[in-house]
Amino acid sequence: MTDTITYRDALHDAHREALEADDRVLVMGEDVADYGGTYAVTKGLHEEFGRARVRNTPLSESGFVGAGIGAALGGLRPIVEVMTVNFSLLALDQIVNTAATYLHMSGGQFNVPVVIRMATGAGRQLAAQHSHSLEAWYAHVPGLRVVAPATVTDARWMLASALDDPDPVIMFEHAALYASKGELSDGGGPVDLDRAAIRRPGSDITICAWGGTLSKALEAAEELGSDGIEAEVIDLRTLRPLDDATIVQSVMRTNRAVVVDEGWRSVGLSAEISARITEQCFYHLDAPVGRVCSAEVPIPYPSHLEQAALPQVPAVVAAAKAAMNR
Amino acid sequence: MTAALPAIETTVRLLGDMIRIRVMEERCAELYQQTKIRGFLHLAIGEEAVSTGVVSRLQPDDAVVATYREHGHALVKGIDAARIMAEMYGKVEGCSGGRGGSMHLFDADHRFYGGNAIVGGHLPLAVGLGLADDMLDGHRATACFFGEGAMAEGEFHEAMNLAALWDTPTLFVCENNLYAMGTSLESSESETNLAVKAAAYNLPAWSVDGMDVVAVAEATDRALTSIRGGGGPVFLEAKTYRFRAHSMFDPDLYRSKDEIERWKERDPIVTFTDRLIEAGHIDAEGIEQLWAGARAEMDDAVAFAEAGTWEPVERLTTNVYRRTPSSGHPAPETERGQV
Ligand SMILES: Cc1ncc(C[n+]2csc(CCOP(=O)(O)OP(=O)(O)O)c2C)c(N)n1
């Protein structure tokens, strides 16, 4: 039996369940209470669980993310909502210099079980300061785990797994996904945060995507299918640590790969994934690893320019065909 | 206490500017419904006395650094309404070449440094602009606008301290509309008396009725006199209220209709209109002319925006560097997915 639900509601249910299951869990962030959360994920939860546990914060990203880290050290299990990755830059110091280092600096004495959630991505004409995809910045840092639920089922179940993790978890939610609907598999449960998932099996080429680019990869795969090319689509789900095994096993079978990344091409996740494939599958590759990324420009406001800056389905199809010599 | 009225030319100009902002922003709301304007749109309807009162007192070569709720500031600073409207559309003729949209109005000729959409991010910029003026010029000032929500950010505190430490010619204007999105002042600030809070940085800090354009203008004159006299930065809190939701995405669930209605009774345009009529500065016909003039101006602005051009996609990566680097290479054809 299956059930249709929005990504937003799946996250909402996950939060509700987390608050219910463990008294140590608290949700904090800007406008998580009265406003209902910027993307309405936490709507109504303050009425049910009280303002202490669903805690509005002032505009103080560095302060409340740091406080979340401290609260985790002090024995709570905070879920910190930073409205968007754009504003998380104000908290970068706390995340990179504190959350990611405490376990190591303390010789293993202090772990930081905090979950920090944020929306990411472009596509809504919000212009240069509100459209970043900076997953790669966080995925660069040892000590952090970085996850990106791309399906409603992962939105529903990843949070519990993240809370179960003894280390800091950064969760990226692509802003375009909140309103998306999908089928929630019955009897879902904990997600293995060490594993990528094959969302569509195929034998001709491997397409790696995550978060906001998964649906584009799947759409491209359908189109390729009608041209007789069977693409395997991998949803990375966890961006650090990367599940090399799943990617490599797939490419060993298909001998070709394309990475779809909404981040910029230079020094980003697509470069990292491409390098890993090349390192581990070099003699199995029939073509260079293809990449479809955002153009190297701050995201412009007008729709036609924004769409031109972002990875699109036709570009994924073309990159796959180029790799197939078609 | 209400400030005494200045000369007629000044009062009528102040009223006219507030009306121009109101008409422009109401037009923007309609255009948003018609999907001509997209993305985020933050209206300052109800807050016109602040932008008008402050910006009208600046000299042409004084700088303004503002937030995403900056349409009125841009208009009063002298940017052509048509170029503002074209920017809202994202057309090449816009004051930011169409790349910024409603949140990112810029204009070098009028020393209008945005249109900044990271809360608090532009306050240090205003300190730096002041520093540059101090070291290079010596008479210009910079007015920096921000909401009370920004006062919780670290950048506010760092900027205030630097400005006061270096005596920069910066006028910090806090547009206190009581809410940062859905977060009320009381749930955001441990000290809700914002002037008291700012005064801790050892600079003059005053509060003013932000619904009274004359009071705002007078406070601004006083602040600018002090700043231009070498007195260093000044902090001005203008108590005001936004009549509309935070942005077009905001369901506005966090304040009561009653509260909004009570503030609307203090509409800065309505109250100032009454006052000017009573004082004999203008009559009903004059008032109607101001509205008609503003409507005509905005009709023209919309027509200009409609007739504007979309930038060709081939120009996508322009203005990333002033000097285009000769190193680095574009993505190979395969990676761009071109066939
Ligand atoms: C650093 C940062 N955090 C969060 C946001 C999202 N945001 C945009 S406007 C806003 C409220 C700001 O309130 P205030 O400073 O009082 O100005 P107002 O919008 O009321 O004019 C928030 C939370 C942002 N743009 N930047």
Side-chain angles (χ1 to χ4, degrees):
Chain A
M1 208 195 80
T2 53
D3 206 7
T4 302
I5 187 173
T6 61
Y7 185 92
R8 163 184 296 121
D9 287 343
L11 278 168
H12 175 90
D13 293 351
H15 280 76
R16 213 175 156 272
E17 181 186 74
L19 284 158
E20 226 161 33
D22 187 343
D23 285 343
R24 298 171 305 167
V25 170
L26 83 152
V27 180
M28 56 199 270
E30 288 161 35
D31 282 317
V32 295
D34 311 76
Y35 194 92
T38 313
Y39 297 96
V41 167
T42 54
K43 196 167 179 181
L45 291 177
H46 68 290
E47 281 156 9
E48 199 174 341
F49 297 97
R51 286 172 189 275
R53 294 186 66 205
V54 180
R55 183 177 288 260
N56 248 9
T57 65
L59 278 123
S60 312
E61 287 81 3
S62 185
F64 70 76
V65 170
I69 294 166
L73 284 169
L76 295 176
R77 288 288 179 277
I79 302 168
V80 183
E81 178 178 295
V82 183
M83 286 182 174
T84 73
V85 65
N86 312 290
F87 319 141
S88 82
L89 300 189
L90 280 76
L92 209 47
D93 170 58
Q94 292 295 333
I95 299 172
V96 176
N97 276 323
T98 307
T101 60
Y102 247 57
L103 183 66
H104 186 80
M105 287 196 304
S106 68
Q109 296 178 80
F110 294 120
N111 62 307
V112 183
V114 67
V115 176
I116 303 171
R117 299 175 37 244
M118 57 190 81
T120 185
R124 299 188 306 148
Q125 290 195 251
L126 301 184
Q129 294 184 327
H130 275 68
S131 302
H132 291 304
S133 289
L134 298 175
E135 290 91 315
W137 289 26
Y138 291 96
H140 183 61
V141 182
L144 302 180
R145 179 185 286 279
V146 180
V147 302
T151 64
V152 293
T153 305
D154 276 355
R156 176 65 184 84
W157 298 111
M158 260 193 189
L159 184 69
S161 306
L163 281 167
D164 199 39
D165 196 306
D167 297 309
V169 177
I170 315 295
M171 188 185 274
F172 283 99
E173 299 154 12
H174 195 286
L177 290 175
Y178 289 109
S180 70
K181 274 192 175 161
E183 284 183 353
L184 199 59
S185 338
D186 204 25
V191 173
D192 183 348
L193 295 182
D194 285 337
R195 291 284 161 262
I198 294 173
R199 300 293 183 200
R200 182 191 196 276
S203 51
D204 294 330
I205 186 164
T206 301
I207 304 180
C208 293
W210 64 92
T213 57
L214 177 63
S215 62
K216 292 178 179 180
L218 287 168
E219 210 180 303
E222 284 309 306
E223 210 176 311
L224 289 164
S226 61
D227 274 343
I229 298 170
E230 285 310 321
E232 178 147 296
V233 176
I234 297 180
D235 172 5
L236 294 178
R237 299 164 108 195
T238 294
L239 308 177
R240 183 184 185 98
L242 282 168
D243 178 9
D244 285 20
T246 299
I247 302 169
V248 167
Q249 280 161 21
S250 173
V251 177
M252 291 290 197
R253 276 185 281 109
T254 62
N255 313 107
R256 294 171 177 89
V258 167
V259 186
V260 192
D261 183 357
E262 198 178 302
W264 290 300
R265 175 173 165 275
S266 295
V267 206
L269 270 165
S270 71
E272 178 63 30
I273 294 160
S274 167
R276 288 185 189 213
I277 292 173
T278 309
E279 284 161 1
Q280 296 170 70
C281 310
F282 187 74
Y283 296 105
H284 295 263
L285 285 176
D286 287 342
V289 178
R291 293 194 275 162
V292 181
C293 307
S294 281
E296 306 265 332
V297 61
I299 302 297
Y301 163 66
S303 180
H304 69 295
L305 294 179
E306 176 177 46
Q307 291 305 319
L310 301 175
Q312 303 293 356
V313 174
V316 181
V317 169
K321 285 187 174 172
M324 302 288 302
N325 255 328
R326 298 259 302 259
Chain B
M1 205 192 74
T2 12
L5 286 178
I8 289 187
E9 311 83 70
T10 307
T11 55
V12 173
R13 177 89 199 265
L14 289 172
L15 179 61
D17 277 343
M18 290 198 293
I19 289 172
R20 291 170 68 223
I21 300 174
R22 178 73 56 94
V23 172
M24 178 173 76
E25 290 211 305
E26 282 177 344
R27 197 64 62 88
C28 287
E30 287 163 20
L31 291 165
Y32 198 89
Q33 301 307 336
Q34 296 165 23
T35 72
K36 299 282 189 183
I37 299 176
R38 295 281 75 196
F40 281 147
L41 175 68
H42 306 87
L43 302 174
I45 291 176
E47 304 184 29
E48 295 91 344
V50 186
S51 51
T52 303
V54 176
V55 179
S56 65
R57 311 312 292 167
L58 299 174
Q59 295 301 316
D61 63 348
D62 288 335
V64 169
V65 197
T67 69
Y68 42 85
R69 207 183 295 286
E70 87 287 34
H71 316 142
H73 312 71
L75 189 67
V76 179
K77 191 71 178 49
I79 307 179
D80 190 351
R83 294 181 60 233
I84 294 175
M85 201 56 89
E87 189 57 39
M88 305 263 190
Y89 273 62
K91 299 284 181 82
V92 177
E93 292 79 3
C95 59
S96 311
R99 293 296 178 118
S102 132
M103 298 197 288
H104 303 299
L105 304 177
F106 285 86
D107 191 51
D109 288 346
H110 292 91
R111 299 200 72 222
F112 196 85
Y113 291 92
N116 294 270
I118 301 299
V119 171
H122 58 299
L123 275 76
L125 217 75
V127 177
L129 283 164
L131 180 66
D133 281 342
D134 205 23
M135 296 183 69
L136 297 173
D137 178 272
H139 74 276
R140 303 193 295 196
T142 297
C144 177
F145 295 87
F146 50 90
E148 83 294 341
M151 287 184 62
E153 292 284 9
E155 278 164 318
F156 166 80
H157 298 274
E158 296 179 23
M160 294 295 282
N161 186 51
L162 281 175
L165 202 59
W166 295 343
D167 273 340
T168 66
T170 316
L171 172 58
F172 292 100
V173 184
C174 176
E175 310 184 277
N176 178 8
N177 61 16
L178 298 176
Y179 293 89
M181 279 179 66
T183 300
S184 66
L185 177 65
E186 300 77 53
S187 54
S188 177
E189 289 294 327
S190 59
E191 170 58 81
T192 54
N193 186 331
L194 300 177
V196 164
K197 183 163 202 147
Y201 289 99
N202 194 23
L203 45 71
W206 315 311
S207 251
V208 66
D209 179 0
M211 303 308 258
D212 179 348
V213 69
V214 172
V216 175
E218 282 196 348
T220 303
D221 283 345
R222 196 171 139 215
L224 288 172
T225 304
S226 164
I227 288 169
R228 291 196 215 282
V234 173
F235 173 94
L236 194 63
E237 177 205 8
K239 293 180 195 281
T240 182
Y241 199 80
R242 64 171 156 73
F243 295 168
R244 301 284 182 107
H246 166 75
S247 74
M248 306 308 270
F249 288 111
D250 171 13
D252 210 344
L253 303 171
Y254 43 83
R255 29 179 218 179
S256 69
K257 295 277 166 293
D258 265 10
E259 179 182 303
I260 300 172
E261 287 313 312
R262 257 183 288 122
W263 275 93
K264 280 187 176 170
E265 284 165 20
R266 303 201 47 222
D267 185 319
I269 297 178
V270 175
T271 54
F272 197 51
T273 300
D274 291 348
R275 212 178 144 197
L276 292 195
I277 289 176
E278 203 170 301
H281 281 212
I282 195 167
D283 58 14
E285 192 185 329
I287 297 292
E288 186 38 46
Q289 273 170 15
L290 290 179
W291 285 96
R295 278 193 290 265
E297 180 185 8
M298 298 312 153
D299 284 347
D300 289 350
V302 173
F304 179 82
E306 284 285 340
T309 35
W310 297 113
E311 192 167 12
V313 170
E314 295 67 45
R315 289 183 43 80
L316 178 62
T317 57
T318 52
N319 286 325
V320 181
Y321 298 97
R322 181 69 90 202
R323 180 186 298 142
T324 304
S326 59
S327 57
H329 63 90
E333 294 291 289
T334 52
E335 296 189 6
R336 274 184 284 165
Q338 286 163 1
V339 258

